[in-house]
Amino acid sequence: YIEDAIRMAQENDPWLVSNRHMQEATQSMSIAAGSLPDPQVSFSVANLPTDSFSLNKDGMTQLRLGVSQMFPQGDTLNIKKRQLEIEADAFPYQRQDRIAQVAVTVSHLWLEAYRALKSIALIEENRSLFEQLTEIATSSYSTAMGGTRQHDIIRSQLELTRLNDRVTMLS
């Protein structure tokens, strides 16, 4: 049935799975975008005597400890976070659109296949009429009573061949 074909196509569409993962990634990125960068800690030693490595021996030995934090200008963190949240909110609508497009495409293909099958059935049903027409033209030509010409026989055989070609094309 067409409903089953549509449902199967929608369930097995890898684009929908990919879109869902992209939405989750964008939502995660929005959380990260709203956070301050990690603080940096530095530690250094200057003028350390290399013969004893004693911190108390020379008065010139220096120990430095530093902490730094980057703060972005203005409201850029909130703006970037909000921008990514809005992008993430668009993904469900993209999936709904894709589901509708898949339904339309599968329906179109289903109807084309159904039309082809019905056309083949109709041609096969009426094939006997064309075969009878060929037989009648041949017998009428051979008896020379019906005024049938050779052209009529060829024409009936041509139509029968065209039917066969049409069935092959539809198949």
Side-chain angles (χ1 to χ4, degrees):
Y1 296 105
I2 192 169
E3 295 86 10
D4 294 334
I6 292 171
R7 182 184 44 77
M8 285 175 46
Q10 290 170 341
E11 288 173 358
N12 295 316
D13 188 2
W15 187 92
L16 294 173
V17 175
S18 169
N19 185 270
R20 192 167 290 113
H21 291 305
M22 287 172 44
Q23 178 183 7
E24 292 168 4
T26 306
Q27 287 171 338
S28 296
M29 287 176 12
S30 75
I31 294 169
S35 304
L36 288 172
D38 292 335
Q40 295 180 351
V41 177
S42 63
F43 177 77
S44 64
V45 177
N47 299 324
L48 181 68
T50 56
D51 56 353
S52 67
F53 293 103
S54 173
L55 298 175
N56 301 346
K57 185 176 178 185
D58 288 332
M60 301 277 296
T61 303
Q62 299 175 7
L63 297 176
R64 281 197 284 177
L65 178 64
V67 178
S68 65
Q69 173 73 52
M70 294 292 295
F71 292 99
Q73 295 178 354
D75 205 19
T76 56
L77 289 179
N78 287 335
I79 291 171
K80 183 65 175 170
K81 179 181 179 183
R82 185 65 186 133
Q83 178 185 10
L84 289 170
E85 287 173 347
I86 290 171
E87 285 180 29
D89 290 344
F91 285 103
Y93 298 109
Q94 293 172 356
R95 283 194 298 275
Q96 288 176 350
D97 182 54
R98 175 65 177 213
I99 288 169
Q101 288 177 357
V102 166
V104 168
T105 302
V106 169
S107 298
H108 177 73
L109 294 172
W110 177 271
L111 292 173
E112 284 294 318
Y114 181 78
R115 183 184 63 81
L117 288 175
K118 288 300 179 181
S119 295
I120 289 171
L122 186 62
I123 289 170
E124 292 298 331
E125 183 180 309
N126 293 323
R127 179 187 301 278
S128 62
L129 297 175
F130 283 94
E131 290 171 350
Q132 286 176 3
L133 180 65
T134 303
E135 290 174 14
I136 291 170
T138 304
S139 65
S140 176
Y141 178 74
S142 63
T143 59
M145 290 184 56
T148 306
R149 301 177 308 228
Q150 189 175 13
H151 176 272
D152 296 333
I153 295 173
I154 293 171
R155 180 77 174 161
S156 65
Q157 290 173 343
L158 177 65
E159 290 300 324
L160 195 54
T161 304
R162 283 185 180 168
L163 278 180
N164 291 335
D165 289 345
R166 179 91 170 127
V167 168
T168 302
M169 183 188 72
L170 289 171
S171 294

